[in-house]
Amino acid sequence: MKWNDPILYERRGVIHVHNEVDEKEVDGCSCRNRAAMQHSAAHPASAADVAFNEPLNGVNSSLFYTSDGWANGPDFGVGWKAANQEFSNGIMALRLDNAGCPAGCSGKSYASAEYATQLKYGYGRVEARMKAAKGTGLVTSLFTYSGQAAGTSNDEIDIEILGKDTTKMETNYFTNGVGQHSTIINLGFDASLDFHNYAFEWSPTFIKWYVDGRLVHTENGSRGALPTSPGHIMVNLWSGSGPAQVWTGTFNYPGAPVRAYYDWIKFTPAN
């Protein structure tokens, strides 16, 4: 992905970034330079309608891939490294640290990990059991992203927990790169202290978000067209940088690695 010099402007208190190649919105960040875009360019993937329940006992290369040896755009303070993905006792950890950075971290100040499905998935339920990383500037995520491959409309559905306040979850969706659908959910607990179940159901007429089986938010398209393109199911841990710091806050490395933890990831197709 080529990045030109962005033009910054403000609207309703949210910073947006536009350039000639890409549109990026820092608002429950659709940081538009996702791994799925890089992966899809090299490995075209078709939509899958097969359920899976990934226990995260180790790397499952038949279903997932691990981002390695590259970095996103200026909103991300990390380079992706496969070495920062850990498995122990049925738990996957995504570790953010500064080992070998910036030279060994694709020019970024920190390294972290990202895990995504090989194929794209359509309407259905996406869910994960996870424990978020705590710390200003950090983002723990579960999302789908279609990328900008031929035949897609650059769509995304998000669950994001910001480390600056892990008692809240942010939902969002983007259709053809257009967002402004962010909603803050008060969880009633600290997501960094224990594992909880997070999910969203996507259909042609709604997106519903759930926490521990409880419906917490619904979008029906009244705030903008819903996504239509299948997407890679993805999880990652990253620190905000550049324009994204308005949203994430400024990350200061605490001197020791920071981790987000995932127990399992599931997909159940609609109908």
Side-chain angles (χ1 to χ4, degrees), residues 2-8 17-20:
K2 175 185 175 185
W3 285 87
N4 295 328
D5 292 333
I7 302 171
L8 297 179
V17 181
H18 286 252
N19 58 41
E20 295 177 12

Side-chain angles (χ1 to χ4, degrees), residues 125-128 142 159 197-201 208-211:
R125 183 182 177 96
V126 174
E127 53 191 319
L142 167 67
I159 289 175
N197 298 351
Y198 303 87
F200 56 83
E201 293 180 350
K208 295 182 178 181
W209 285 264
Y210 297 83
V211 177

Side-chain angles (χ1 to χ4, degrees), residues 1-5 17 19 22 24 32-33 72-75:
M1 173 63 63
K2 175 185 175 185
W3 285 87
N4 295 328
D5 292 333
V17 181
N19 58 41
D22 216 355
K24 173 182 349 160
R32 294 260 56 95
N33 197 8
N72 290 95
D75 292 294

